[in-house]
Amino acid sequence: MSQPPQHQQPYSTLEVSQGDPETFQKEVIHYPDYSIPQAVPLEHTTAGAARQYYNPESAKEVVNSPESTYIGSGTYKDPNYAGGAAYPHAQAYQNGAGYAGSNSYPDGSLYPNSAYPPSSTSPIDGNPYGPAHLSAVENNSSRSPGSNEKIAPAATICGIRRKTFFIIVAAAAVALIALIAGLAGGLASKNKDESKSSDSSGSTNGGNPKDPASDTNATTEKLILDNSKITASNWTDNNGVVHRTVFFQDVYNSIIARRWDSEGKSWKTNNLTELRAATTTPLRPQAGTPLASASMDHDPSFETHMWFTDEDNIIRSMASFDALNRPDSWDNDTLDGAILETWPGGQLAAMWQRTWGADGDGTWIVAYQRPEGAIKTANSSTWATATVAVESKDVAANSSLAIIPQLRGPWLDRLELVSERVGSGSTGIMSSTSYNDTWNNADQRVTELQSDIPLPAMSQQFAATKWDSWNQGLYIGLLQGGQIRGNHWDGKQMNSISSFKFNSGPDTDFKAIAMTPDAMFYGISDNKILEYQLDTSDPTNFNYVGTVFP
């Protein structure tokens, strides 16, 4: 990490503009009365700005969690989706094989031992005639036989009392019927399985038959939400182990985190929605919510944060505040109480930026589009006060977004924001806007990347990555119709790329894409999440790595 110029002190790279033209938007609510070491501009310090670490909610009130707890998106109903802290005994998902069986109950059923709890109401008396037996006088059965009377022998069949004989016959008939039904069902099932095996030219596995993710034959069952977005981030620990996290939504609208590291080399799962379901702050993400994520590796702090929008178009966040030692622990990130409202269905982008020198944990940055249309950036120095980066006149409604750090000489203290501008009226322009100590006059620092692209749509998404010590970069857009176009900055000039090759792996029809800052690509295609690595020697090529999910 290069040292700062001697004449300057460490400071946040996203200060709040005093001339912010949108201060009337009521995003400023209060500044918390606490602080930790953090590079904050002088004007923020005067205003009372400070950085807060969120304290995990270890003493929060827990409310009842019936199946209807998660309002608006449905409870995460499949007990086979095991993940992290919500399922402490769940096994890791080896090699992306899918969800492992849940141990929430010993037999994996909804209720323990697959039985509903017995009712404690309306007890039934064991005597069908009431609490007392019929009197001997009433049934005339109390008289003993006279001296001249003989007791008639009991009627039998084959030497067995009639009642006992008929009970045995009935039981045998029931058993025979059950045997016949079982044989018929078994033969039908065998024929069906043989037909499936023949059609798919594959073999069955020994996975849990209730777990579609572990059954290679269940390729048609949807596991990923049709309009799910995807985001990914990476970080490296002090031992050089690379950690990656991919976020998406499953068919139950739950936000899922898949984690991988270069030491264990296997994908593990956390269901973030399930983790918060029984708390006082459950997640209520939109179906198809925009997703953004970033990770910090600044020893001794290793964190991963994820942002999404709730049903009211307000930005919410979850974070793993100790990703190194407790990667399964995810908590609500309060954003210091800031209320950041987005354009309905608007996209998000996020990054973490290092601070100058050894002090401070850097800055978390989230870019989003306001309901009025302007693109703003909010940062962890003062979450509640966001700054206009691109004015509403210069951006298309519901623009896709991407954000990535940028060098200024030897210092990595700038950033680039990718968004879409309106072109001729029927087409748009994919553009990059540079941050240079301030967003003032940002409209004079715009680079056109791709022209004549379709106007924004929910299926249209941007992504960016860099390599070669942040000297080279790739900016790509998944456009309507599934086409991917982009630009490569080779350190000297910008080169347009009209198409990309995804080598090896399955056929692709991407519905959503994301990239990490270390040149890894992720895409949702055919109900799967696929992973590729950029060929940095030829940025038109992506090489298949494997399947992230299921």
Side-chain angles (χ1 to χ4, degrees):
M1 181 70 190
S2 301
Q3 296 299 317
Q6 297 300 320
H7 63 282
Q8 294 190 18
Q9 296 298 321
Y11 64 93
S12 167
T13 59
L14 284 183
E15 86 290 351
V16 178
S17 172
Q18 299 301 318
D20 183 356
E22 297 197 16
T23 53
F24 66 90
Q25 294 166 357
K26 299 182 180 179
E27 287 189 349
V28 179
I29 53 175
H30 65 83
Y31 295 97
D33 188 20
Y34 37 75
S35 64
I36 64 169
Q38 168 67 53
V40 181
L42 178 60
E43 61 272 23
H44 287 187
T45 305
T46 303
R51 170 73 194 280
Q52 175 201 14
Y53 267 121
Y54 180 74
N55 185 24
E57 300 181 31
S58 58
K60 64 175 67 62
E61 177 185 357
V62 177
V63 298
N64 293 330
S65 56
E67 289 192 15
S68 61
T69 296
Y70 185 38
I71 302 171
S73 61
T75 299
Y76 190 81
K77 300 177 182 177
D78 191 340
N80 295 299
Y81 281 69
Y87 302 88
H89 304 294
Q91 299 297 320
Y93 297 73
Q94 299 298 326
N95 301 319
Y99 287 104
S102 170
N103 292 328
S104 294
Y105 299 108
D107 61 347
S109 63
L110 185 61
Y111 290 102
N113 304 318
S114 298
Y116 286 90
S119 173
S120 60
T121 59
S122 302
I124 300 176
D125 195 316
N127 178 10
Y129 301 103
H133 294 287
L134 291 173
S135 102
V137 175
E138 291 173 329
N139 62 19
N140 214 17
S141 64
S142 64
R143 295 178 300 169
S144 60
S147 58
N148 295 327
E149 294 179 349
K150 295 182 179 180
I151 300 176
T156 62
I157 300 176
C158 297
I160 304 174
R161 293 176 62 88
R162 290 171 58 88
K163 181 177 181 179
T164 303
F165 176 84
F166 288 124
I167 291 175
I168 293 174
V169 171
V174 171
L176 181 60
I177 293 173
L179 178 61
I180 294 172
L183 289 174
L187 290 174
S189 176
K190 180 179 179 182
N191 292 337
K192 183 178 181 180
D193 289 343
E194 289 177 352
S195 175
K196 285 184 178 180
S197 177
S198 175
D199 292 342
S200 62
S201 300
S203 59
T204 59
N205 61 24
N208 182 354
K210 295 181 181 180
D211 184 359
S214 69
D215 186 356
T216 55
N217 288 330
T219 55
T220 59
E221 183 169 356
K222 286 190 176 297
L223 303 174
I224 301 173
L225 193 67
D226 284 339
N227 61 340
S228 173
K229 303 300 186 295
I230 187 173
T231 182
S233 66
N234 69 278
W235 57 278
T236 304
D237 64 29
N238 290 337
N239 295 321
V241 177
V242 178
H243 302 255
R244 308 187 193 283
T245 310
V246 179
F247 302 88
F248 66 99
Q249 281 182 290
D250 70 3
V251 289
Y252 299 103
N253 204 36
S254 297
I255 297 178
I256 306 296
R258 290 281 273 177
R259 297 181 290 103
W260 178 94
D261 64 72
S262 58
E263 185 175 53
K265 298 184 183 299
S266 63
W267 289 97
K268 302 177 182 180
T269 300
N270 293 116
N271 184 327
L272 305 190
T273 301
E274 186 75 5
L275 289 175
R276 305 297 303 175
T279 71
T280 56
T281 55
L283 303 189
R284 293 189 175 93
Q286 297 178 4
T289 177
L291 297 170
S293 63
S295 293
M296 173 177 67
D297 49 5
H298 188 263
D299 188 33
S301 298
F302 298 94
E303 302 180 12
T304 295
H305 292 230
M306 182 275 302
W307 294 266
F308 66 98
T309 56
D310 65 15
E311 297 165 329
D312 297 320
N313 300 308
I314 304 299
I315 297 176
R316 297 277 305 278
S317 179
M318 289 284 284
S320 177
F321 290 102
D322 189 0
L324 181 62
N325 300 307
R326 299 192 304 134
D328 289 318
S329 177
W330 291 85
D331 295 289
N332 179 34
D333 182 1
T334 65
L335 305 181
D336 295 343
I339 300 177
L340 306 176
E341 184 179 3
T342 72
W343 182 283
Q347 303 299 305
L348 301 176
M351 59 172 275
W352 173 73
Q353 189 173 51
R354 295 179 182 274
T355 189
W356 280 357
D359 296 332
D361 284 329
T363 305
W364 301 98
I365 304 165
V366 177
Y368 65 102
Q369 188 167 26
R370 281 282 305 168
E372 294 79 12
I375 303 295
K376 280 193 161 188
T377 56
N379 72 84
S380 54
S381 295
T382 53
W383 280 119
T385 305
T387 305
V388 173
V390 182
E391 296 182 10
S392 56
K393 65 181 180 63
D394 296 324
V395 63
N398 199 23
S399 171
S400 299
L401 298 172
I403 196 168
I404 194 78
Q406 182 184 35
L407 286 171
R408 179 182 64 88
W411 296 285
L412 189 65
D413 60 357
R414 298 292 182 266
L415 63 85
E416 292 177 280
L417 175 64
V418 181
S419 61
E420 183 172 356
R421 296 168 178 258
V422 177
S424 62
S426 59
T427 60
I429 302 172
M430 180 179 175
S431 304
S432 172
T433 304
S434 297
Y435 173 85
N436 184 19
D437 279 338
T438 178
W439 287 115
N440 293 338
N441 302 317
D443 57 348
Q444 300 176 17
R445 300 188 300 274
V446 177
T447 301
E448 182 176 304
L449 301 176
Q450 291 287 320
S451 60
D452 297 326
I453 67 172
L455 292 175
M458 293 299 293
S459 61
Q460 196 155 292
Q461 297 149 58
F462 297 158
T465 189
K466 291 198 173 182
W467 66 96
D468 186 22
S469 298
W470 303 93
N471 285 292
Q472 297 192 58
L474 181 68
Y475 315 83
I476 62 175
L478 172 64
L479 310 180
Q480 294 186 55
Q483 181 187 15
I484 297 180
R485 291 162 54 182
N487 293 77
H488 168 219
W489 172 256
D490 62 10
K492 297 180 180 178
Q493 63 180 13
M494 194 70 75
N495 305 288
S496 179
I497 302 175
S498 59
S499 63
F500 293 87
K501 296 178 181 178
F502 290 87
N503 303 315
S504 302
D507 293 337
T508 58
D509 180 19
F510 293 117
K511 305 301 182 185
I513 62 170
M515 296 188 75
T516 61
D518 66 342
M520 299 299 291
F521 173 97
Y522 299 90
I524 298 177
S525 176
D526 191 27
N527 198 35
K528 298 177 182 177
I529 297 179
L530 307 178
E531 180 182 38
Y532 291 81
Q533 185 172 33
L534 176 67
D535 182 353
T536 55
S537 64
D538 181 2
T540 64
N541 284 288
F542 290 92
N543 298 317
Y544 179 69
V545 176
T547 299
V548 174
F549 179 85

